[in-house]
Amino acid sequence: MGYRVIYLDGEEGRPKKNCKICEKLERNVIEPVAVFLLEDKNLSDLSKEELEKFDTCIFHCDKENEIWMKNLEEYKEWKKRRDEADAKGEEFNEPFEIEWEESLVDEFWNRLRAYRFAVDFYELWANDWENFIFGLINNNVFSNIILSYPEAIEKGKIINNKQLVIRYIRNLQNFRQKDNIIEHDFRKFKFPKCSCFYGTKENCNFSFWFLAETNSFRKKVNFNKSIFFGNFSLYKLNLLEEASFEDATFHGLVELSNFSFKKKVSFENSKFFNTFSLSNGDSQDNINFDFCTYHKKASFNILKLRKNIYFHETSFKNIAKFKDITCNYAEFEIVHFYKPTSFEEIKANNVDYTANFHDIAIFKDFHIENNLYFDSCSFKKKSSFENLEVQMEILFSGNFEGEVEITKSKFSQNGKFKKVVFDKKAEFKNIKFGKMDFQEVEFKDKAIFNNIESSDEICFLNVNFRASFLFEDVYSKETTEFKDCIFQSKTIFRFCNYGLFKLWNTKFKQETYFENTSFIGCLITSSEFNDIIHFEPNSSSLFLKIDNLILCNSAHVEIRNLKVSSLQIHHLINEATNFILYNFIIRPSSTLEELKRAVETEIKAIKTEIDKVKAEIEKFQAELKDTQTSGRFKTLDVKGFLIKKLLLEEKQKLLKFKERQLIIIKHALQEALSKTQIREVQNLMEIQNSILNNFRLTNCNFSNGIKTIQDSDITDAKFVNVNWGEISEKRICPNLFRDEPEKARDVYRQLKLAHDNQKDHITANAFYALEMKAYERVLRKKSWFNPKYFQQKLVFALHKFVSNFGQSWLRPLILIFLITIANIGAQTNPKLFFNYLLYFALILFSSTLIYQLILAPPKFIEILKTIIFSFSKRKNLSNNDLYGLGLDGILWGITTLSALAGFLTFLESTKWTVSPLDFLEVLLHP
């Protein structure tokens, strides 16, 4: 036996009693209390106490009782199991279908449709009440609108429904006329069976809409704190005004598809206990899902949102899928995703995530016009980011507890990773950055960077790599910098092209390899190497600078195959037994224009070679395909075939690496030509304030450029097959030789000693000569009248005069010859010899004096200054100090004049009266 509803509306002798919830909410219609009676009972059968128990309307009454539910006990048991599973965080998939009292459900929806009609057509009846009533009674169109299925209802009931509508209209008119606010007020409604809000009688118990009515709410809709026991499915829903589903509870399936929202829609703090789907819709205003809880799968598909969508402190306890969504801004703040989550084909101006992903997270095919932020996010399991295109900035901060992979993406301006912890392997592949910025990041497992291109700087600041690190095929025309970083395991830089490469205060605790790594310049400063460092760029660069570097005893550093314009080593403390500079070349001096032209020529040549290799690879692929289709594949040497193909591909990769390197150098040269007035590339090798110890230089060419060594200890360094070029004071420490000859002398002494230790006495003697030249400049500052220095200056001058400090074999021969001639003349006729000598000396002095006074007085003054300074105690000589006016020059002048005087004395004395044989005998035995 079923139930029927009697309303305490004060009509037909019934008492009048209003719904306490409607009154509390101040609804635009205060519903009468609904009394539920068995069909064979009347209102008079109830006692006063029983009647008092009914105090709510049909919309607000409790639906979880034996009146509404035929299988109430089974429902309570099912609900208990569901709540227990939810409290434990377990998944609950047990289905259950409520058996409703159909007559009550019918009455619920009939009354609801009448209310909706009154609200939707407010403009019609509010302005012309009488004509509206007349039309309502007589117009069949209204009848069809009021009743969804008139063929299933008696005609008498149609009239009753019309009367019901009139009653609602009167209530609306009386209650809300003062503020003229008309809305669908469904607050705290408890919706019974509502398997769908559209369709026909066969597939849906009751339609939410009137017959012949489009699925539209013309007015504002308020479902706040409502409870939906059945499915909530709206197809082609059209909301012309705002809609609110805040604090609502959905026990059944929720499907909103092909919708159109004109104004703001809010589901704030709602709970969804079954599958949720929002799809194929369009919204012109914000959609809000803040504080919502989704217990089953949630899907957001094919959405075009003109404004924003919000998820704040939202919880997804099951699978969540977001696909093909276009919006202005999407916010996921303090959101929890407990099951696998995917975001695909997202287009937005800005997207913010401050979320916790407790399971697999997939982000794919993003197109973000401005910023994409993953701020303070937590990823408990594997996460994947593929094909993300961000025009402005992408930010990552938080924890990745599972593996992470970021691939095939483009971050046009700034890719920033700040305060991120990667617990498992992290891979970054096929990414184009604007600026690549990692700050305060920790990699606890492998870190792999492969095929990375950056149009701006690459910066790693305070990054800790606890496991192996691979930096492969990375390309940037600008600066690549590692500052305050720690590499605790094996580190590999391979096939990388940089503009300027910097290592600042960085520690390498295990083996490190720089293979096929190119840069315009390399600066290594305040860093520490504790294991094998294999630095083999195989490239040309503008400079390599090592500054404030400490190499501990266990370090093994090799720098190989590098050609630079400048090598600078400053503040290096080498305690390693193996620090090797191998096959290192200082390039010849050139102008920027010449270097640019040479680079452009190399680029053309490499491009031609790349095309050839590419053609060979395509030929191999065509041959392989032909053999497969022709059946000759079995007879083919597949292994050899594939090995050759791999070798060609490796060659192609190497050529591409060299091409990119040259392009970077060309770019740098263009920048230099456009921004500076400097037109020549300076070539130098510079060592300052360093202790080299067992520093080995092998097969190095320093013949080009200036070599400067200052305030350093290089005595124990080993120079093997080092080409110094011209060993002279003009090319080795020229400034030091000029300004601080004492320090220059010490440098030359150390170089001499280092080569002597290698048994390279020829080069050692060359540096010994420079040491003596520097010592000569030191002695020039000392006074001849100081007894302490007189003997040193005299002995030194004689040493140089006789053999140029052992470097000249010709000087002694010439000196012997000249002294012999002078001796012959002096013994033949001493008086005539000294007359000639005095005569030549007076002529030379007079002519020099006249020339200097008449033709070059300024230069003469400088010469006088030099002579005066050389015999004084002043320490600073003029920059125009002439090396040829020292004692060495004077001695050579005296010797030459003596030889000339001796020769003329001999001729004058012999008068050529003797035969050539007699002359020879006299010459040999005077």
Side-chain angles (χ1 to χ4, degrees), residues 218-236:
R218 295 177 175 86
K219 299 294 184 293
K220 183 178 178 180
V221 185
N222 191 336
F223 285 93
N224 291 353
K225 297 185 179 180
S226 293
I227 299 175
F228 297 86
F229 290 98
N231 296 336
F232 183 76
S233 182
L234 292 176
Y235 177 72
K236 291 187 177 180

Side-chain angles (χ1 to χ4, degrees), residues 547-697:
D547 187 18
N548 197 19
L549 181 66
I550 299 175
L551 296 177
C552 66
N553 186 52
S554 59
H556 182 114
V557 182
E558 293 186 23
I559 303 177
R560 293 172 172 264
N561 304 324
L562 184 61
K563 183 188 292 186
V564 299
S565 297
S566 169
L567 169 63
Q568 295 172 284
I569 300 176
H570 295 171
H571 303 94
L572 168 67
I573 299 177
N574 176 35
E575 298 177 1
T577 55
N578 290 289
F579 184 14
I580 303 170
L581 201 65
Y582 181 82
N583 202 17
F584 197 97
I585 300 175
I586 302 292
R587 279 194 300 220
S589 299
S590 61
T591 63
L592 292 176
E593 288 85 353
E594 290 172 345
L595 191 56
K596 181 185 174 186
R597 286 194 294 270
V599 167
E600 288 173 344
T601 303
E602 284 189 65
I603 291 174
K604 289 180 182 178
I606 286 178
K607 282 184 176 180
T608 302
E609 198 167 351
I610 288 174
D611 291 339
K612 289 181 180 179
V613 174
K614 186 178 179 181
E616 287 188 58
I617 292 173
E618 290 175 352
K619 180 181 176 182
F620 265 68
Q621 290 174 337
E623 289 180 2
L624 181 60
K625 186 176 180 180
D626 180 61
T627 54
Q628 289 174 332
T629 55
S630 62
R632 294 186 293 109
F633 190 75
K634 293 182 179 180
T635 61
L636 182 70
D637 182 9
V638 179
K639 186 176 180 180
F641 189 91
L642 294 176
I643 288 175
K644 189 171 183 180
K645 181 175 178 290
L646 288 172
L647 290 174
L648 283 171
E649 289 175 347
E650 188 69 17
K651 183 179 179 181
Q652 185 185 35
K653 186 176 181 179
L654 182 59
L655 290 170
K656 193 69 179 177
F657 158 76
K658 290 183 177 179
E659 181 189 24
R660 293 196 310 189
Q661 170 210 351
L662 293 170
I663 290 173
I664 290 176
I665 294 177
K666 179 183 175 182
H667 170 74
L669 293 173
Q670 288 173 338
E671 288 285 312
L673 286 168
S674 63
K675 294 182 179 180
T676 67
Q677 300 298 320
I678 301 173
R679 286 294 179 267
E680 187 171 354
V681 180
Q682 292 187 347
N683 305 82
L684 60 92
M685 189 272 280
E686 185 176 81
I687 301 175
Q688 291 186 2
N689 302 298
S690 298
I691 301 175
L692 299 188
N693 290 330
N694 293 313
F695 183 27
R696 288 190 289 169
L697 298 93

Side-chain angles (χ1 to χ4, degrees), residues 154-168:
E154 297 177 2
K155 189 173 182 180
K157 200 169 184 178
I158 295 177
I159 298 173
N160 291 335
N161 272 274
K162 290 179 182 178
Q163 293 171 351
L164 181 61
V165 170
I166 292 172
R167 194 178 306 124
Y168 271 114

Side-chain angles (χ1 to χ4, degrees), residues 371-384:
N371 302 319
L372 173 60
Y373 291 150
F374 294 88
D375 191 8
S376 302
C377 289
S378 174
F379 297 86
K380 303 292 184 182
K381 294 188 178 180
K382 184 177 181 181
S383 55
S384 172

Side-chain angles (χ1 to χ4, degrees), residues 842-908:
L842 288 173
I843 291 176
L844 179 62
F845 178 76
S846 300
S847 60
T848 302
L849 185 64
I850 292 170
Y851 171 79
Q852 293 294 340
L853 288 174
I854 298 174
L855 299 179
K859 190 173 182 180
F860 176 70
I861 293 172
E862 291 299 324
I863 293 172
L864 287 178
K865 283 184 181 180
T866 303
I867 296 172
I868 293 171
F869 289 160
S870 64
F871 284 92
S872 70
K873 295 183 180 180
R874 294 187 58 176
K875 296 184 179 180
N876 296 319
L877 297 179
S878 167
N879 289 332
N880 295 319
D881 184 15
L882 302 178
Y883 301 145
L885 291 178
L887 185 59
D888 178 54
I890 295 173
L891 291 174
W892 272 106
I894 293 173
T895 304
T896 303
L897 291 178
S898 299
L900 181 61
F903 179 71
L904 292 176
T905 301
F906 176 76
L907 291 180
E908 182 70 23

Side-chain angles (χ1 to χ4, degrees), residues 269-328:
N269 201 34
S270 293
K271 295 177 175 60
F272 302 90
F273 288 98
N274 214 317
T275 303
F276 176 89
S277 175
L278 189 71
S279 62
N280 293 287
D282 174 84
S283 175
Q284 298 184 19
D285 210 324
N286 300 335
I287 301 180
N288 185 357
F289 292 95
D290 291 348
F291 307 102
C292 289
T293 302
Y294 299 86
H295 291 265
K296 295 292 181 68
K297 179 179 178 182
S299 300
F300 300 80
N301 298 323
I302 317 177
L303 305 179
K304 293 184 178 179
L305 314 178
R306 308 293 176 85
K307 290 191 177 180
N308 310 330
I309 184 168
Y310 298 98
F311 297 86
H312 178 79
E313 294 193 39
T314 304
S315 180
F316 294 86
K317 297 193 174 183
N318 211 301
I319 295 172
K321 289 188 177 182
F322 299 79
K323 186 174 182 180
D324 195 5
I325 299 176
T326 302
C327 64
N328 174 60

